[in-house]
Amino acid sequence: GVEVTVRLHDARGEVVETASDILGVIDADSPAAIAGRLTEPAAQPVRIEFDVSVGRESDSAALADLFDVRALTRDGDELTGRIRSRAPNEIGDLSVLFVWHDETDSVIGTAPLDIELLRPGVDARFELDLTDEVVPEGRPDTVFWIR
């Protein structure tokens, strides 16, 4: 696993929030992400620091190698599509993070979707309401799988 620890600092350099997570399945060909939201912070964060600790190399398939997002469409504030699993067994407790980039490839918006269960060879339909998300028009540019 790859352990990632993130610290958010305020303008005085004080730590506002710390969060850690482990990316269990990752390889050189598949990017990964950890996403979260800070609500009602004690102070406004202005700087982010992170540490990445790499464990041992894994022979397991990366999540991006196991899942495909298909028939992705957006109608107003509704993002819909299907997810196909190529995993040999059911996999549960996943999230997918939809990411929008600008013309300089900077991230300008994200929207998470929690997935309870994916069965192999079955298209799981999803609908994601983007009303409360700060994302631009159009479809997302990238998809990250989180477990």
PDB file of all heavy atoms in Angstrom, residues 73-104:
ATOM      1  N   THR A  73     -22.966  10.341 -19.604  1.00  0.00           N
ATOM      2  CA  THR A  73     -23.655  11.498 -20.180  1.00  0.00           C
ATOM      3  C   THR A  73     -23.978  12.495 -19.085  1.00  0.00           C
ATOM      4  O   THR A  73     -24.079  12.142 -17.912  1.00  0.00           O
ATOM      5  CB  THR A  73     -24.964  11.098 -20.891  1.00  0.00           C
ATOM      6  OG1 THR A  73     -25.839  10.486 -19.948  1.00  0.00           O
ATOM      7  CG2 THR A  73     -24.708  10.145 -22.044  1.00  0.00           C
ATOM      8  N   ARG A  74     -24.147  13.741 -19.502  1.00  0.00           N
ATOM      9  CA  ARG A  74     -24.539  14.787 -18.558  1.00  0.00           C
ATOM     10  C   ARG A  74     -25.691  15.563 -19.152  1.00  0.00           C
ATOM     11  O   ARG A  74     -25.630  16.013 -20.295  1.00  0.00           O
ATOM     12  CB  ARG A  74     -23.369  15.722 -18.281  1.00  0.00           C
ATOM     13  CG  ARG A  74     -23.760  16.812 -17.296  1.00  0.00           C
ATOM     14  CD  ARG A  74     -22.582  17.499 -16.717  1.00  0.00           C
ATOM     15  NE  ARG A  74     -22.994  18.570 -15.819  1.00  0.00           N
ATOM     16  CZ  ARG A  74     -22.163  19.422 -15.295  1.00  0.00           C
ATOM     17  NH1 ARG A  74     -20.867  19.339 -15.568  1.00  0.00           N
ATOM     18  NH2 ARG A  74     -22.605  20.365 -14.499  1.00  0.00           N
ATOM     19  N   ASP A  75     -26.738  15.703 -18.343  1.00  0.00           N
ATOM     20  CA  ASP A  75     -27.908  16.485 -18.715  1.00  0.00           C
ATOM     21  C   ASP A  75     -28.149  17.473 -17.590  1.00  0.00           C
ATOM     22  O   ASP A  75     -28.660  17.090 -16.528  1.00  0.00           O
ATOM     23  CB  ASP A  75     -29.112  15.568 -18.928  1.00  0.00           C
ATOM     24  CG  ASP A  75     -30.324  16.321 -19.439  1.00  0.00           C
ATOM     25  OD1 ASP A  75     -30.193  17.506 -19.812  1.00  0.00           O
ATOM     26  OD2 ASP A  75     -31.425  15.729 -19.449  1.00  0.00           O
ATOM     27  N   GLY A  76     -27.732  18.727 -17.780  1.00  0.00           N
ATOM     28  CA  GLY A  76     -27.849  19.728 -16.722  1.00  0.00           C
ATOM     29  C   GLY A  76     -26.966  19.347 -15.543  1.00  0.00           C
ATOM     30  O   GLY A  76     -25.762  19.193 -15.679  1.00  0.00           O
ATOM     31  N   ASP A  77     -27.596  19.168 -14.376  1.00  0.00           N
ATOM     32  CA  ASP A  77     -26.859  18.806 -13.167  1.00  0.00           C
ATOM     33  C   ASP A  77     -26.886  17.306 -12.889  1.00  0.00           C
ATOM     34  O   ASP A  77     -26.569  16.883 -11.776  1.00  0.00           O
ATOM     35  CB  ASP A  77     -27.436  19.547 -11.953  1.00  0.00           C
ATOM     36  CG  ASP A  77     -27.012  21.002 -11.922  1.00  0.00           C
ATOM     37  OD1 ASP A  77     -25.950  21.310 -12.487  1.00  0.00           O
ATOM     38  OD2 ASP A  77     -27.740  21.832 -11.345  1.00  0.00           O
ATOM     39  N   GLU A  78     -27.259  16.505 -13.870  1.00  0.00           N
ATOM     40  CA  GLU A  78     -27.300  15.054 -13.664  1.00  0.00           C
ATOM     41  C   GLU A  78     -26.265  14.360 -14.541  1.00  0.00           C
ATOM     42  O   GLU A  78     -26.277  14.478 -15.765  1.00  0.00           O
ATOM     43  CB  GLU A  78     -28.681  14.501 -13.971  1.00  0.00           C
ATOM     44  CG  GLU A  78     -28.801  13.032 -13.610  1.00  0.00           C
ATOM     45  CD  GLU A  78     -30.205  12.518 -13.802  1.00  0.00           C
ATOM     46  OE1 GLU A  78     -30.561  12.223 -14.953  1.00  0.00           O
ATOM     47  OE2 GLU A  78     -30.923  12.423 -12.792  1.00  0.00           O
ATOM     48  N   LEU A  79     -25.358  13.637 -13.884  1.00  0.00           N
ATOM     49  CA  LEU A  79     -24.347  12.840 -14.562  1.00  0.00           C
ATOM     50  C   LEU A  79     -24.772  11.381 -14.442  1.00  0.00           C
ATOM     51  O   LEU A  79     -25.014  10.898 -13.339  1.00  0.00           O
ATOM     52  CB  LEU A  79     -22.977  13.056 -13.896  1.00  0.00           C
ATOM     53  CG  LEU A  79     -21.763  12.437 -14.566  1.00  0.00           C
ATOM     54  CD1 LEU A  79     -21.499  13.098 -15.915  1.00  0.00           C
ATOM     55  CD2 LEU A  79     -20.546  12.569 -13.662  1.00  0.00           C
ATOM     56  N   THR A  80     -24.907  10.701 -15.564  1.00  0.00           N
ATOM     57  CA  THR A  80     -25.354   9.307 -15.542  1.00  0.00           C
ATOM     58  C   THR A  80     -24.400   8.446 -16.359  1.00  0.00           C
ATOM     59  O   THR A  80     -23.660   8.933 -17.201  1.00  0.00           O
ATOM     60  CB  THR A  80     -26.779   9.150 -16.121  1.00  0.00           C
ATOM     61  OG1 THR A  80     -26.772   9.608 -17.474  1.00  0.00           O
ATOM     62  CG2 THR A  80     -27.801   9.920 -15.313  1.00  0.00           C
ATOM     63  N   GLY A  81     -24.451   7.163 -16.081  1.00  0.00           N
ATOM     64  CA  GLY A  81     -23.629   6.225 -16.830  1.00  0.00           C
ATOM     65  C   GLY A  81     -23.737   4.831 -16.251  1.00  0.00           C
ATOM     66  O   GLY A  81     -24.617   4.538 -15.446  1.00  0.00           O
ATOM     67  N   ARG A  82     -22.814   3.980 -16.697  1.00  0.00           N
ATOM     68  CA  ARG A  82     -22.761   2.597 -16.218  1.00  0.00           C
ATOM     69  C   ARG A  82     -21.317   2.276 -15.856  1.00  0.00           C
ATOM     70  O   ARG A  82     -20.378   2.813 -16.444  1.00  0.00           O
ATOM     71  CB  ARG A  82     -23.243   1.636 -17.285  1.00  0.00           C
ATOM     72  CG  ARG A  82     -24.677   1.856 -17.709  1.00  0.00           C
ATOM     73  CD  ARG A  82     -25.179   0.799 -18.685  1.00  0.00           C
ATOM     74  NE  ARG A  82     -24.227   0.381 -19.682  1.00  0.00           N
ATOM     75  CZ  ARG A  82     -24.211   0.790 -20.941  1.00  0.00           C
ATOM     76  NH1 ARG A  82     -25.123   1.649 -21.357  1.00  0.00           N
ATOM     77  NH2 ARG A  82     -23.308   0.348 -21.793  1.00  0.00           N
ATOM     78  N   ILE A  83     -21.154   1.379 -14.914  1.00  0.00           N
ATOM     79  CA  ILE A  83     -19.826   0.915 -14.528  1.00  0.00           C
ATOM     80  C   ILE A  83     -19.781  -0.584 -14.765  1.00  0.00           C
ATOM     81  O   ILE A  83     -20.657  -1.322 -14.313  1.00  0.00           O
ATOM     82  CB  ILE A  83     -19.524   1.233 -13.054  1.00  0.00           C
ATOM     83  CG1 ILE A  83     -19.552   2.744 -12.848  1.00  0.00           C
ATOM     84  CG2 ILE A  83     -18.181   0.630 -12.642  1.00  0.00           C
ATOM     85  CD1 ILE A  83     -19.491   3.166 -11.414  1.00  0.00           C
ATOM     86  N   ARG A  84     -18.760  -1.025 -15.486  1.00  0.00           N
ATOM     87  CA  ARG A  84     -18.559  -2.452 -15.771  1.00  0.00           C
ATOM     88  C   ARG A  84     -17.349  -2.934 -14.994  1.00  0.00           C
ATOM     89  O   ARG A  84     -16.289  -2.327 -15.030  1.00  0.00           O
ATOM     90  CB  ARG A  84     -18.353  -2.652 -17.260  1.00  0.00           C
ATOM     91  CG  ARG A  84     -17.826  -3.997 -17.715  1.00  0.00           C
ATOM     92  CD  ARG A  84     -18.844  -5.139 -17.765  1.00  0.00           C
ATOM     93  NE  ARG A  84     -20.050  -4.899 -18.473  1.00  0.00           N
ATOM     94  CZ  ARG A  84     -20.304  -5.293 -19.725  1.00  0.00           C
ATOM     95  NH1 ARG A  84     -19.394  -5.916 -20.424  1.00  0.00           N
ATOM     96  NH2 ARG A  84     -21.477  -5.051 -20.267  1.00  0.00           N
ATOM     97  N   SER A  85     -17.500  -4.050 -14.279  1.00  0.00           N
ATOM     98  CA  SER A  85     -16.402  -4.639 -13.517  1.00  0.00           C
ATOM     99  C   SER A  85     -15.839  -5.850 -14.255  1.00  0.00           C
ATOM    100  O   SER A  85     -16.591  -6.708 -14.711  1.00  0.00           O
ATOM    101  CB  SER A  85     -16.896  -5.066 -12.132  1.00  0.00           C
ATOM    102  OG  SER A  85     -15.901  -5.802 -11.462  1.00  0.00           O
ATOM    103  N   ARG A  86     -14.513  -5.920 -14.330  1.00  0.00           N
ATOM    104  CA  ARG A  86     -13.830  -7.093 -14.868  1.00  0.00           C
ATOM    105  C   ARG A  86     -13.165  -7.890 -13.748  1.00  0.00           C
ATOM    106  O   ARG A  86     -12.381  -8.799 -14.010  1.00  0.00           O
ATOM    107  CB  ARG A  86     -12.792  -6.665 -15.899  1.00  0.00           C
ATOM    108  CG  ARG A  86     -13.399  -6.130 -17.182  1.00  0.00           C
ATOM    109  CD  ARG A  86     -12.346  -5.824 -18.243  1.00  0.00           C
ATOM    110  NE  ARG A  86     -11.292  -4.928 -17.802  1.00  0.00           N
ATOM    111  CZ  ARG A  86     -11.384  -3.594 -17.760  1.00  0.00           C
ATOM    112  NH1 ARG A  86     -12.500  -3.016 -18.133  1.00  0.00           N
ATOM    113  NH2 ARG A  86     -10.375  -2.863 -17.361  1.00  0.00           N
ATOM    114  N   ALA A  87     -13.460  -7.531 -12.513  1.00  0.00           N
ATOM    115  CA  ALA A  87     -12.900  -8.258 -11.367  1.00  0.00           C
ATOM    116  C   ALA A  87     -13.511  -9.655 -11.330  1.00  0.00           C
ATOM    117  O   ALA A  87     -14.662  -9.848 -11.739  1.00  0.00           O
ATOM    118  CB  ALA A  87     -13.206  -7.511 -10.072  1.00  0.00           C
ATOM    119  N   PRO A  88     -12.780 -10.646 -10.842  1.00  0.00           N
ATOM    120  CA  PRO A  88     -13.308 -12.004 -10.808  1.00  0.00           C
ATOM    121  C   PRO A  88     -14.414 -12.202  -9.777  1.00  0.00           C
ATOM    122  O   PRO A  88     -15.210 -13.131  -9.897  1.00  0.00           O
ATOM    123  CB  PRO A  88     -12.085 -12.865 -10.470  1.00  0.00           C
ATOM    124  CG  PRO A  88     -11.124 -11.927  -9.820  1.00  0.00           C
ATOM    125  CD  PRO A  88     -11.393 -10.573 -10.396  1.00  0.00           C
ATOM    126  N   ASN A  89     -14.496 -11.322  -8.772  1.00  0.00           N
ATOM    127  CA  ASN A  89     -15.491 -11.442  -7.708  1.00  0.00           C
ATOM    128  C   ASN A  89     -16.190 -10.106  -7.499  1.00  0.00           C
ATOM    129  O   ASN A  89     -15.763  -9.078  -8.013  1.00  0.00           O
ATOM    130  CB  ASN A  89     -14.809 -11.865  -6.396  1.00  0.00           C
ATOM    131  CG  ASN A  89     -14.064 -13.163  -6.522  1.00  0.00           C
ATOM    132  OD1 ASN A  89     -14.609 -14.145  -7.009  1.00  0.00           O
ATOM    133  ND2 ASN A  89     -12.800 -13.168  -6.114  1.00  0.00           N
ATOM    134  N   GLU A  90     -17.241 -10.155  -6.682  1.00  0.00           N
ATOM    135  CA  GLU A  90     -17.911  -8.918  -6.297  1.00  0.00           C
ATOM    136  C   GLU A  90     -16.938  -8.046  -5.515  1.00  0.00           C
ATOM    137  O   GLU A  90     -16.116  -8.547  -4.749  1.00  0.00           O
ATOM    138  CB  GLU A  90     -19.121  -9.222  -5.400  1.00  0.00           C
ATOM    139  CG  GLU A  90     -20.245  -9.920  -6.098  1.00  0.00           C
ATOM    140  CD  GLU A  90     -21.428 -10.171  -5.168  1.00  0.00           C
ATOM    141  OE1 GLU A  90     -21.275 -10.034  -3.935  1.00  0.00           O
ATOM    142  OE2 GLU A  90     -22.496 -10.500  -5.688  1.00  0.00           O
ATOM    143  N   ILE A  91     -17.035  -6.743  -5.753  1.00  0.00           N
ATOM    144  CA  ILE A  91     -16.211  -5.791  -5.011  1.00  0.00           C
ATOM    145  C   ILE A  91     -17.143  -4.709  -4.485  1.00  0.00           C
ATOM    146  O   ILE A  91     -17.958  -4.163  -5.220  1.00  0.00           O
ATOM    147  CB  ILE A  91     -15.113  -5.171  -5.893  1.00  0.00           C
ATOM    148  CG1 ILE A  91     -14.122  -6.253  -6.326  1.00  0.00           C
ATOM    149  CG2 ILE A  91     -14.388  -4.061  -5.145  1.00  0.00           C
ATOM    150  CD1 ILE A  91     -12.983  -5.748  -7.167  1.00  0.00           C
ATOM    151  N   GLY A  92     -17.009  -4.423  -3.204  1.00  0.00           N
ATOM    152  CA  GLY A  92     -17.859  -3.414  -2.593  1.00  0.00           C
ATOM    153  C   GLY A  92     -17.052  -2.323  -1.922  1.00  0.00           C
ATOM    154  O   GLY A  92     -15.822  -2.366  -1.869  1.00  0.00           O
ATOM    155  N   ASP A  93     -17.776  -1.344  -1.440  1.00  0.00           N
ATOM    156  CA  ASP A  93     -17.198  -0.237  -0.697  1.00  0.00           C
ATOM    157  C   ASP A  93     -16.140   0.500  -1.514  1.00  0.00           C
ATOM    158  O   ASP A  93     -14.994   0.625  -1.108  1.00  0.00           O
ATOM    159  CB  ASP A  93     -16.622  -0.730   0.626  1.00  0.00           C
ATOM    160  CG  ASP A  93     -16.353   0.413   1.588  1.00  0.00           C
ATOM    161  OD1 ASP A  93     -17.015   1.457   1.461  1.00  0.00           O
ATOM    162  OD2 ASP A  93     -15.472   0.262   2.445  1.00  0.00           O
ATOM    163  N   LEU A  94     -16.537   0.969  -2.691  1.00  0.00           N
ATOM    164  CA  LEU A  94     -15.669   1.728  -3.595  1.00  0.00           C
ATOM    165  C   LEU A  94     -16.198   3.140  -3.748  1.00  0.00           C
ATOM    166  O   LEU A  94     -17.358   3.413  -3.464  1.00  0.00           O
ATOM    167  CB  LEU A  94     -15.674   1.113  -4.998  1.00  0.00           C
ATOM    168  CG  LEU A  94     -15.053  -0.227  -5.214  1.00  0.00           C
ATOM    169  CD1 LEU A  94     -15.415  -0.722  -6.607  1.00  0.00           C
ATOM    170  CD2 LEU A  94     -13.559  -0.138  -5.074  1.00  0.00           C
ATOM    171  N   SER A  95     -15.344   3.989  -4.251  1.00  0.00           N
ATOM    172  CA  SER A  95     -15.769   5.319  -4.673  1.00  0.00           C
ATOM    173  C   SER A  95     -15.107   5.612  -6.004  1.00  0.00           C
ATOM    174  O   SER A  95     -14.041   5.085  -6.307  1.00  0.00           O
ATOM    175  CB  SER A  95     -15.355   6.391  -3.665  1.00  0.00           C
ATOM    176  OG  SER A  95     -16.016   6.203  -2.437  1.00  0.00           O
ATOM    177  N   VAL A  96     -15.767   6.436  -6.763  1.00  0.00           N
ATOM    178  CA  VAL A  96     -15.165   6.940  -7.996  1.00  0.00           C
ATOM    179  C   VAL A  96     -15.174   8.461  -7.879  1.00  0.00           C
ATOM    180  O   VAL A  96     -16.122   9.047  -7.367  1.00  0.00           O
ATOM    181  CB  VAL A  96     -15.918   6.439  -9.259  1.00  0.00           C
ATOM    182  CG1 VAL A  96     -17.353   6.879  -9.284  1.00  0.00           C
ATOM    183  CG2 VAL A  96     -15.214   6.868 -10.517  1.00  0.00           C
ATOM    184  N   LEU A  97     -14.075   9.073  -8.287  1.00  0.00           N
ATOM    185  CA  LEU A  97     -13.963  10.523  -8.255  1.00  0.00           C
ATOM    186  C   LEU A  97     -13.899  11.020  -9.687  1.00  0.00           C
ATOM    187  O   LEU A  97     -12.974  10.681 -10.433  1.00  0.00           O
ATOM    188  CB  LEU A  97     -12.701  10.949  -7.491  1.00  0.00           C
ATOM    189  CG  LEU A  97     -12.521  12.450  -7.318  1.00  0.00           C
ATOM    190  CD1 LEU A  97     -13.609  13.018  -6.410  1.00  0.00           C
ATOM    191  CD2 LEU A  97     -11.141  12.758  -6.761  1.00  0.00           C
ATOM    192  N   PHE A  98     -14.903  11.796 -10.078  1.00  0.00           N
ATOM    193  CA  PHE A  98     -14.936  12.402 -11.402  1.00  0.00           C
ATOM    194  C   PHE A  98     -14.186  13.734 -11.315  1.00  0.00           C
ATOM    195  O   PHE A  98     -14.421  14.517 -10.394  1.00  0.00           O
ATOM    196  CB  PHE A  98     -16.379  12.617 -11.856  1.00  0.00           C
ATOM    197  CG  PHE A  98     -17.140  11.338 -12.024  1.00  0.00           C
ATOM    198  CD1 PHE A  98     -18.008  10.893 -11.034  1.00  0.00           C
ATOM    199  CD2 PHE A  98     -16.973  10.563 -13.158  1.00  0.00           C
ATOM    200  CE1 PHE A  98     -18.701   9.704 -11.187  1.00  0.00           C
ATOM    201  CE2 PHE A  98     -17.658   9.377 -13.319  1.00  0.00           C
ATOM    202  CZ  PHE A  98     -18.526   8.943 -12.333  1.00  0.00           C
ATOM    203  N   VAL A  99     -13.285  13.994 -12.269  1.00  0.00           N
ATOM    204  CA  VAL A  99     -12.410  15.166 -12.208  1.00  0.00           C
ATOM    205  C   VAL A  99     -12.521  15.969 -13.503  1.00  0.00           C
ATOM    206  O   VAL A  99     -12.479  15.402 -14.594  1.00  0.00           O
ATOM    207  CB  VAL A  99     -10.941  14.736 -11.988  1.00  0.00           C
ATOM    208  CG1 VAL A  99     -10.023  15.948 -11.931  1.00  0.00           C
ATOM    209  CG2 VAL A  99     -10.805  13.903 -10.713  1.00  0.00           C
ATOM    210  N   TRP A 100     -12.640  17.283 -13.355  1.00  0.00           N
ATOM    211  CA  TRP A 100     -12.653  18.209 -14.484  1.00  0.00           C
ATOM    212  C   TRP A 100     -11.350  19.001 -14.466  1.00  0.00           C
ATOM    213  O   TRP A 100     -10.886  19.417 -13.407  1.00  0.00           O
ATOM    214  CB  TRP A 100     -13.828  19.185 -14.386  1.00  0.00           C
ATOM    215  CG  TRP A 100     -15.155  18.613 -14.724  1.00  0.00           C
ATOM    216  CD1 TRP A 100     -15.834  18.771 -15.897  1.00  0.00           C
ATOM    217  CD2 TRP A 100     -16.011  17.816 -13.883  1.00  0.00           C
ATOM    218  NE1 TRP A 100     -17.036  18.120 -15.836  1.00  0.00           N
ATOM    219  CE2 TRP A 100     -17.177  17.522 -14.612  1.00  0.00           C
ATOM    220  CE3 TRP A 100     -15.903  17.317 -12.589  1.00  0.00           C
ATOM    221  CZ2 TRP A 100     -18.212  16.766 -14.101  1.00  0.00           C
ATOM    222  CZ3 TRP A 100     -16.924  16.551 -12.067  1.00  0.00           C
ATOM    223  CH2 TRP A 100     -18.074  16.285 -12.829  1.00  0.00           C
ATOM    224  N   HIS A 101     -10.757  19.210 -15.658  1.00  0.00           N
ATOM    225  CA  HIS A 101      -9.527  19.987 -15.803  1.00  0.00           C
ATOM    226  C   HIS A 101      -9.786  21.206 -16.685  1.00  0.00           C
ATOM    227  O   HIS A 101     -10.706  21.196 -17.504  1.00  0.00           O
ATOM    228  CB  HIS A 101      -8.429  19.152 -16.480  1.00  0.00           C
ATOM    229  CG  HIS A 101      -7.994  17.976 -15.686  1.00  0.00           C
ATOM    230  ND1 HIS A 101      -8.512  16.722 -15.859  1.00  0.00           N
ATOM    231  CD2 HIS A 101      -7.077  17.866 -14.703  1.00  0.00           C
ATOM    232  CE1 HIS A 101      -7.933  15.882 -15.018  1.00  0.00           C
ATOM    233  NE2 HIS A 101      -7.058  16.545 -14.306  1.00  0.00           N
ATOM    234  N   ASP A 102      -8.927  22.225 -16.533  1.00  0.00           N
ATOM    235  CA  ASP A 102      -8.991  23.352 -17.456  1.00  0.00           C
ATOM    236  C   ASP A 102      -7.987  23.124 -18.585  1.00  0.00           C
ATOM    237  O   ASP A 102      -7.377  22.058 -18.675  1.00  0.00           O
ATOM    238  CB  ASP A 102      -8.750  24.686 -16.736  1.00  0.00           C
ATOM    239  CG  ASP A 102      -7.357  24.836 -16.160  1.00  0.00           C
ATOM    240  OD1 ASP A 102      -6.470  23.992 -16.463  1.00  0.00           O
ATOM    241  OD2 ASP A 102      -7.132  25.798 -15.403  1.00  0.00           O
ATOM    242  N   GLU A 103      -7.804  24.134 -19.433  1.00  0.00           N
ATOM    243  CA  GLU A 103      -6.936  23.970 -20.600  1.00  0.00           C
ATOM    244  C   GLU A 103      -5.466  23.806 -20.231  1.00  0.00           C
ATOM    245  O   GLU A 103      -4.663  23.352 -21.044  1.00  0.00           O
ATOM    246  CB  GLU A 103      -7.112  25.135 -21.581  1.00  0.00           C
ATOM    247  CG  GLU A 103      -6.857  26.505 -20.997  1.00  0.00           C
ATOM    248  CD  GLU A 103      -8.040  27.064 -20.203  1.00  0.00           C
ATOM    249  OE1 GLU A 103      -9.145  26.514 -20.273  1.00  0.00           O
ATOM    250  OE2 GLU A 103      -7.836  28.057 -19.499  1.00  0.00           O
ATOM    251  N   THR A 104      -5.074  24.148 -18.993  1.00  0.00           N
ATOM    252  CA  THR A 104      -3.687  23.952 -18.550  1.00  0.00           C
ATOM    253  C   THR A 104      -3.527  22.643 -17.787  1.00  0.00           C
ATOM    254  O   THR A 104      -2.486  22.400 -17.195  1.00  0.00           O
ATOM    255  CB  THR A 104      -3.225  25.121 -17.655  1.00  0.00           C
ATOM    256  OG1 THR A 104      -3.976  25.101 -16.438  1.00  0.00           O
ATOM    257  CG2 THR A 104      -3.373  26.450 -18.374  1.00  0.00           C
TER     258      THR A 104
END
